[in-house]
Amino acid sequence: FEHEWQIRVMVLNDMEKLDRTLFRLEQGFELQFRLGPTLQGKHVHVHTNYPTEGERFERYKFRVLGWINPTGREDDSDKFCTLDLKISGSYQYYFGHGSEKSGGGYIVVNPVLRVGEDNHVLPLDCISIQTYLSKCLGPLDEWLDRLRVTKEAGYNMIHFTPLQTLGESRSCYSLADQLELNPDFSPPGQTYTWTEVGSLVEKMKNEWNMLCITDVVYNHTAANSKWIKKHPECGYNLVNSPHLKPAWVLDRALWHVTSAIADGKYKDRGLPALIQNHEHLHAIRGVLWQDVFPKIKLWEFFQVKVEPMVEQFRTLLQSAKSDRSKTEGKQQLKIIQDPQFRRFGNTVDMNSALETFVPHGPGAIEDCCNWLRRRLEELNGEQYHEIKHHQEQATNCIADTVSYERLADHGPKLGPVTRKHPLVTRYFTFPFEEATLEQDLELMNQPEKSCHFLAHNGWVMGDDPLRNFAEPGSNVYIRRELICWGDSVKLRYGNGPEDCPYLWAHMQKYTEITAKHCVGVRLDNCHSTPLHVAEFMLDAARTLRPDLYVVAELFTGSEELDNVFVTRLGISSLIREAMSAGDSHEEGRLVYRYGGEPVGAFLQPSLRPLVPSIAHAMFLDVTHDNECPIQIRSVYDSLPSSAIVSMACCATGSTRGYDELVPHQISVVSEERFYSKWNPQAKPSSPAEVTLQSGIIAGKLALNRLHQELASKGFNQVFVDQVDEDIVAVTRHCPSTHRSVVAVCRTAFKNPKHHRYTDEVPPMCIPGKIEEVVLEVRTVERQADSYKKDERSINGMPGYTVEIKEHIQLKDSKVVRQAGVTSRGRNEYVQEIVFEQLTPGSVIAFRVSLDPKSQELVGVLRHHLIQFNPLYKAGSLPDPNTPDILKSPLTQIMSKMTLADMNILMFRCDAEEKEDGGGCYNIPSWKPLKYGGLQGLLSVMADIRPQNDLGHPFCDNLRQGDWMIDYVSNRLISRGGTLSEVGQWFQAMFAYLKHIPRYLIPCYFDAILVGAYTTALDVTFKQMSSFVQNGSSFVKLLALGSVQMCAVGHFPALPPLSPALSDVPYRFNEITKQKEQCCVSMAAGLPHFSAGIFRCWGRDTFIALRGLMLVTGRHMEARNIILTFAGTMRHGLIPNLLGEGVGARFNCRDAVWWWLQCIQDYCTMVPNGTDILQCPVTRMYPTDDSKPLTAGTVDQLLCEVIHEAMERHMQGIEFRERNAGPQIDNNMRDEGFNIVAKVNPDTGFVYGGNQFNCGTWMDKMGESERARNKGIPATPRDGSAVEIVGLCKSTLRWLVALHKLGLFPYNSVTIHKDGKQLSMSYEEWDRKIQQNFEKMFYVSNDPNEKHPELVHKRGIYKDSYGASSPWCDYQLRPNFPIAMVVAPELFTVEHAWEALNISEEKLLGPLGMKTLDPDDMVYCGVYDNSLENDNYNLARGFNYHQGPEWLWPIGYFLRAKIYFAKKLGKDTYDETVYLVKNVLSLHYVHMERSSWKGLPELTNENGQYCPFSCETQAWSLAAVLEVLHDL
């Protein structure tokens, strides 16, 4: 089946059971199963019963699908297993991990129907079907003459009611023999068989292009079927279903009441045979309560015989020598129903009786027996009352039935009660001679007779369709709730073929006969066919005919229940009916609901999520078992309602008789006349023949042709417009050619002869150019005899025909008075139609195209879009005057862009755009976009596209004007360079876009942007490391964070590099007319830390640099950032806030160590990375007190600057910040401006800080006067912070190794102390930390712990050592895993593993790590920076690092887990990989859904969104990317 390769993705989520959700797919589609976040990392197995190629389908045979992981193993974001769907049917899948089933559902693959000699495909939406009651076709040799009417009216499928022998009621659906062709089809002296039917069907397929389907009836067989007499076990009888005995007794009693009424025996009690009023109904109630119920004593079937039970109990008590005290267990005694349902056959459980009534003391046995007697009488009383309720319901149902059948105006008015028309339909067959009721009831106990009392079938109002109403537990028969078909016996299949072998085999043969001759089946009475039976039979049918077309009409009352049938049985189309609409508005809504996309819908990618759908519709103007529309509406409505149906984008159809205007329902039970034959020469009044002029046949032919053309040519977009209360306009639009057909239908639900319709028809605006009137047609009266119901033929009303014109020009139309051309805007070409004769019952359809200019421009635009998607070839036109910029593909233009250019093209938040004098695009009625670049637009379109949400303010803005379009191109053109070329490319594409109708702009704007965006992504990843290029979707998404964060601003954020350094990027400054360096700088986070002085932070930059720049392969830019910051070193520290160097603040103790770690990572990860050590660094502050110097004044090698940092720490750093006071920090207390960073000579630990400043990343300074925390840091972390000790150890280890390799000239640091010069080698310093770390930092289970009163958790590592508040050392925080990653040699494996497990249990959140142990008294996980109250611990966000879950530490936690798990063996490592994948899957989902395409700085507790957090943070992205790199 030719359509381009389509892939649908089903995301599996733990515990998601979708067995009531419908997923429909076409043959040739590929279905991929992928893991949702709840399953990533787990060993999931997916099972399906879809067979492997060449195997037969077996419903209960499942196989496991293999996983494909295209990018290797770092995460599960791209792992999938796949099915190539080539066979139609219903298939089940389920999945689990371990032995648990944890979810599943069904998929339905549509059949492909083929027709004609050449076997061409008939798409399901092209179907036009007509139903025939087979018994009205006459002998087989006359069929073609009668069926020809269907061919001439343009249908392409026929539905026959069953072709088998009918039962004695002659109902089309009551079959006497499922295997035999109806003998009525054979004329005298002939015997036709299925072979002749087969050839006829084949002839129609080949010569008429007509397919046939027929019904299968599995629920019942005719009461007079011969085989059921031989095999009564196939029905519900009193032997195999004794629970029906009470209902059978009632049914016999009611039959005897019928006989008595018919014989006039109740006349004197006010109940004659002819029931005419409510007094008579009342008399029936009297007879039931006074004569019937007391006589048949139904309650006895449910009661216990008291005395024998008591006697049995007494005997048991006497034999048991027990003397226990009486327990109060009265409730436990329950009646046990006799499975044979004999009168008084029930018992009670003697064991529970013995437990309940325990004798103690003399005479106790008699007491117990009395208690039991009383209890049994109570229980019998309860049963009596329950049966009384059943009898009340039965009485009401009987009265309602009699009232409908004999009194109601809309009922059949059956006349007097006779044995032929009994008071109520019999519920059971009774194949014996009439006798008295008493004699009848005796038969119940004779199995050879009672096996022939078979329950009839029927339906139950409001019943649960998944429950079988004839099985035990249902009271439908005794309560008389069944609306009974007295001609049909309900079949009893049991649970499988072994329960009733004859029936299953018989029905399988029946199914196979049907499937052999017809392309499809209609499941009659589907909602009450047991599902497992229908499944089995359809499997048998599909074995013979794999592309079986299955239709059904469901009356379950809910779409969810419908889906149970559709999914399990693989139903191809559900029958829907236009007659269910009460007005034209509702009829139009049905068209919109049952198929098609909205006009102007977006082009969906060929790989996309599998979304639930509604069942494919077979939309009929009327079904064969519903009332005639002419009686309910009017004869004039037949045509317009039919036209509305024909315009639906689904299968459509009708029933024979509708088109000839037969003014009554053709009854499936009583109709015995034949359909009329086709004869083009027949006269209007000839009842046995029809012509094109009969009824609305000519109109139907034109409508059927149109319906089939629209479906086959891809007019799959639908718009329904309710013009006024009677007029519905349906538009079908083709998205590749942009042609439309608009049908305007004026319904006539009321007869215009008696109902006043207005002459004022509102004018209509039709966008585009009307090429022709496809058809105009109306129902008119003609000279003919008035209608008289014919004796032998089913005839229609001869007095009506249609007036029709096809394919005419607008000027020749009688319906339209004038059509003015108005132009709305420069490219809105609209025709206003004023109607002259759109009378009730008329239809006009226009073929509309875009105006010639728009049509040409759309074609050219599609031509230029082919480079992104071959689907645009359809409807494309070559461009005679291609602008130069469009002559080369976009990839070629973009390949000249740098990643810094990509940052501008794709990202930039509002603050960054404002620096350049712009801003992000703001949609006035909605909100501003997140980014100025393409990602800002694509994030919104990604939400709109799958839903086709064309009403979204974003789409409105595009339709209303060119503002957004111009914003995209102008923003880039103004930048110059390659970006300007990309801007010109957009401008040239948009030049076409601006001149097409506005309703098409959103979908083409989307196409252009999606094409450009995916091209930009390809170019971006090509410039990154092979890890990214070959990485998973998740790796690429994180790597995009590097483009998001790393940018060249309008003003240089970094101080200049040494002029002696090679490969430094320069640009020309338009204002100063000088060339200036333009190095990429890294934002800390968006939107709060993206521009100006707050963009660059030393700590943030170097925590994120490894992940965002080294792992992604941006080595040169990483080098420049390292050297820039080296140039700003002062006091041996790297700035916290960079402030372009001139405004730097040196108030953090950790940035310098992160910087050193990055140099180490650079040397190890970059080819020839150690060359950086010899790069020149231009010092801004060569001494602590220098004024800032210009670049090149003082240059040093990087290795010297590194050595200086180490030496300064060993010497001891102690200074007061410049300009100390409120001008640089509004909240800091005076002592906080004093900076200290030193090394303890005994332990080698770096220490520093005081209780008034915070020198590490946990740097919240109190701001609330009211809560008295202003000027007090929440987390000073003074002393030796664990991660700084780890980073220092890592640096020493590295420097020692470098020196040995001759790559670092220094091996020791020299200091001056008390006038003496002392030195310490790097090796010794390294050794000291190694020897002391575990001793000083590990909180062991040692009883000699120095501060046992401060220990809160044992088996962890301290957060710091030597803090001024000693208890802070012992707090559990997520910092020690950082030391584990950079200096794992400090830790013993077992201790490290235990500490990590405690962290996991206490600190691990969904996206981040809790910054403080939740057991700590000051823990609070919700950060609110605006909160102003008296709470010291919370006011003004004081708890920033006292609980909220920060993302970047999770990276170090997971990397530490991976490192130590490897040391503990394969099992531990595999478990850890599972944990890592599982944790990271949540980050992947967050990024996929985030309109910022990033990871936040932090979340509130348990992963809740925090409005004060940056939406995307550099170190969050980097840390997660590093975990994937480690994997």
Side-chain angles (χ1 to χ4, degrees), residues 836-1131:
E836 182 156 38
Q837 271 202 301
L838 189 69
T839 52
S842 51
V843 176
I844 182 167
F846 305 100
R847 192 179 302 278
V848 183
S849 60
L850 305 182
D851 64 280
K853 188 77 193 132
S854 299
Q855 190 75 43
E856 182 193 339
L857 292 173
V858 167
V860 171
L861 181 53
R862 289 180 76 87
H863 173 74
H864 291 302
L865 286 170
I866 296 172
Q867 59 179 306
F868 307 125
N869 191 328
L871 279 182
Y872 289 108
K873 278 205 178 92
S876 67
L877 292 170
D879 186 355
N881 325 311
T882 304
D884 290 347
I885 191 76
L886 295 183
K887 282 181 179 158
S888 43
L890 181 60
T891 322
Q892 204 173 318
I893 303 170
M894 281 190 177
S895 58
K896 299 182 289 195
M897 290 171 69
T898 63
L899 291 177
D901 291 334
M902 281 297 173
N903 164 270
I904 294 172
L905 174 67
M906 305 285 274
F907 296 106
R908 298 238 155 173
C909 67
D910 200 46
E912 294 174 274
E913 290 285 308
K914 286 204 165 109
E915 236 185 18
D916 290 345
C920 289
Y921 189 79
N922 182 16
I923 293 170
S925 58
W926 193 50
K927 57 185 178 190
L929 303 179
K930 301 288 189 267
Y931 293 113
L934 298 183
Q935 186 63 60
L937 300 147
L938 273 125
S939 287
V940 182
M941 297 198 298
D943 291 338
I944 296 172
R945 191 183 311 112
Q947 264 72 47
N948 272 319
D949 181 6
L950 294 163
H952 192 283
F954 183 93
C955 299
D956 278 343
N957 187 272
L958 280 169
R959 284 189 294 263
Q960 283 160 10
D962 296 335
W963 313 291
M964 197 185 318
I965 298 172
D966 291 337
Y967 172 86
V968 173
S969 51
N970 295 348
R971 175 179 171 273
L972 295 171
I973 290 172
S974 66
R975 303 270 171 177
T978 310
L979 281 166
S980 177
E981 285 184 55
V982 176
Q984 286 160 23
W985 181 88
F986 275 117
Q987 195 174 43
M989 291 293 274
F990 292 157
Y992 304 118
L993 183 70
K994 290 175 178 181
H995 291 86
I996 64 175
R998 298 311 296 189
Y999 69 91
L1000 292 175
I1001 284 182
C1003 68
Y1004 281 106
F1005 180 73
D1006 180 60
I1008 295 168
L1009 262 72
V1010 167
Y1013 179 77
T1014 47
T1015 306
L1017 289 184
D1018 292 345
V1019 171
T1020 298
F1021 298 133
K1022 280 203 181 91
Q1023 295 188 33
M1024 290 189 173
S1025 62
S1026 62
F1027 168 68
V1028 174
Q1029 289 184 32
N1030 306 326
S1032 65
S1033 308
F1034 188 18
V1035 167
K1036 291 190 165 87
L1037 206 48
L1038 289 160
L1040 213 49
S1042 166
V1043 179
Q1044 194 182 88
M1045 294 295 168
C1046 303
V1048 177
H1050 190 64
F1051 307 105
L1054 301 178
L1057 292 156
S1058 162
L1061 189 66
S1062 57
D1063 296 327
V1064 178
Y1066 283 88
R1067 68 180 177 197
F1068 183 72
N1069 184 326
E1070 288 294 341
I1071 298 159
T1072 61
K1073 304 292 179 201
Q1074 304 280 312
K1075 74 175 196 156
E1076 64 184 14
Q1077 289 183 13
C1078 55
C1079 289
V1080 162
S1081 68
M1082 189 190 293
L1086 313 182
H1088 309 311
F1089 305 116
S1090 58
I1093 184 169
F1094 290 111
R1095 176 177 172 85
C1096 292
W1097 299 73
R1099 175 191 303 126
D1100 294 71
T1101 297
F1102 293 111
I1103 290 178
L1105 188 107
R1106 179 177 184 267
L1108 290 189
M1109 302 201 102
L1110 298 180
V1111 167
T1112 58
R1114 304 183 68 172
H1115 300 153
M1116 191 57 77
E1117 292 147 309
R1119 180 202 75 169
N1120 294 344
I1121 289 176
I1122 289 170
L1123 297 174
T1124 301
F1125 273 89
T1128 59
M1129 180 180 285
R1130 196 176 203 177
H1131 309 290

Side-chain angles (χ1 to χ4, degrees), residues 1149 1250-1256 1258 1273-1278 1364 1368:
R1149 306 194 304 276
N1250 65 38
Q1251 69 211 54
F1252 295 105
N1253 61 28
C1254 26
T1256 73
M1258 293 185 162
T1275 39
R1277 300 189 71 231
D1278 55 347
S1364 53
C1368 290

Side-chain angles (χ1 to χ4, degrees), residues 489-792:
V489 166
K490 188 169 181 67
L491 295 174
R492 180 175 185 269
Y493 288 89
N495 295 321
E498 62 287 349
D499 288 352
C500 193
Y502 180 84
L503 177 59
W504 286 79
H506 180 76
M507 288 306 195
Q508 184 175 341
K509 270 187 233 142
Y510 162 48
T511 304
E512 287 164 350
I513 290 172
T514 306
K516 185 177 166 193
H517 297 110
C518 291
V519 299
V521 294
R522 173 182 173 276
L523 295 173
D524 180 55
N525 203 13
C526 177
H527 56 281
S528 53
T529 303
L531 270 168
H532 63 287
V533 174
E535 263 179 347
F536 176 92
M537 298 302 163
L538 289 176
D539 290 348
R542 287 190 174 110
T543 306
L544 282 178
R545 189 180 287 274
D547 278 301
L548 187 74
Y549 181 51
V550 182
V551 295
E553 192 167 9
L554 287 172
F555 300 99
T556 66
S558 96
E559 190 174 315
E560 190 196 12
L561 268 180
D562 281 359
N563 282 348
V564 174
F565 289 90
V566 176
T567 54
R568 287 203 33 197
L569 305 180
I571 295 174
S572 323
S573 304
L574 275 191
I575 295 169
R576 313 282 192 173
E577 196 189 20
M579 280 303 295
S580 64
D583 55 29
S584 67
H585 185 84
E586 176 63 13
E587 203 158 69
R589 198 188 66 78
L590 294 178
V591 171
Y592 186 74
R593 171 142 176 77
Y594 294 141
E597 302 183 321
V599 173
F602 295 99
L603 180 80
Q604 303 297 342
S606 54
L607 185 155
R608 60 177 184 268
L610 180 62
V611 291
S613 51
I614 68 164
H616 181 258
M618 175 177 274
F619 190 29
L620 306 181
D621 39 38
V622 66
T623 59
H624 62 287
D625 42 16
N626 267 351
E627 294 139 295
C628 166
I630 296 176
Q631 290 171 324
I632 295 175
R633 297 180 183 173
S634 81
V635 66
Y636 287 94
D637 188 60
S638 301
L639 181 69
S641 279
S642 228
I644 291 173
V645 169
S646 297
M647 289 298 287
C649 187
C650 59
T652 61
S654 189
T655 188
R656 178 76 204 265
Y658 181 97
D659 299 348
E660 295 109 301
L661 303 179
V662 173
H664 58 83
Q665 184 186 354
I666 303 174
S667 162
V668 292
V669 180
S670 57
E671 186 59 79
E672 293 290 342
R673 301 173 300 160
F674 292 159
Y675 292 115
S676 39
K677 296 180 178 177
W678 179 257
N679 175 4
Q681 276 75 50
K683 296 196 164 46
S685 48
S686 158
E689 297 174 315
V690 293
T691 69
L692 203 53
Q693 279 64 52
S694 307
I696 59 166
I697 291 179
K700 201 50 159 287
L701 171 63
L703 291 170
N704 278 335
R705 275 190 197 142
L706 181 60
H707 172 75
Q708 291 156 29
E709 178 204 339
L710 294 176
S712 61
K713 294 199 174 152
F715 285 70
N716 63 349
Q717 299 187 341
V718 179
F719 172 66
V720 179
D721 182 15
Q722 188 72 34
V723 181
D724 72 6
E725 58 182 333
D726 304 306
I727 300 173
V728 177
V730 184
T731 301
R732 290 277 296 274
H733 181 84
C734 171
S736 55
T737 62
H738 295 298
R739 289 189 137 82
S740 304
V741 169
V742 182
V744 185
C745 314
R746 189 166 187 193
T747 59
F749 278 43
K750 302 190 176 74
N751 193 328
K753 287 184 177 162
H754 318 302
H755 176 78
R756 176 92 183 85
Y757 280 94
T758 166
D759 297 334
E760 289 304 307
V761 175
M764 258 188 86
C765 288
I766 294 189
K769 176 173 177 292
I770 295 177
E771 292 183 354
E772 64 159 2
V773 174
V774 185
L775 57 94
E776 59 180 41
V777 54
R778 69 159 63 87
T779 311
V780 291
E781 293 192 31
R782 65 170 169 179
Q783 285 309 113
D785 305 340
S786 58
Y787 170 77
K788 194 160 95 274
K789 191 168 178 177
D790 190 63
E791 293 295 310
R792 291 207 302 284

Side-chain angles (χ1 to χ4, degrees), residues 125-178:
D125 288 343
C126 277
I127 291 173
S128 307
I129 190 169
Q130 193 173 40
T131 297
Y132 273 81
L133 306 189
S134 306
K135 64 177 181 179
C136 300
L137 276 164
L140 199 61
D141 14 14
E142 297 177 15
W143 278 27
L144 285 177
D145 294 336
R146 296 196 164 94
L147 297 175
R148 182 154 200 130
V149 177
T150 305
K151 172 184 182 281
E152 300 295 342
Y155 294 93
N156 54 22
M157 187 179 274
I158 288 178
H159 159 228
F160 294 112
T161 59
L163 302 167
Q164 284 76 5
T165 310
L166 301 181
E168 60 188 341
S169 70
R170 300 283 300 157
S171 158
C172 294
Y173 288 97
S174 180
L175 307 183
D177 186 344
Q178 283 72 12

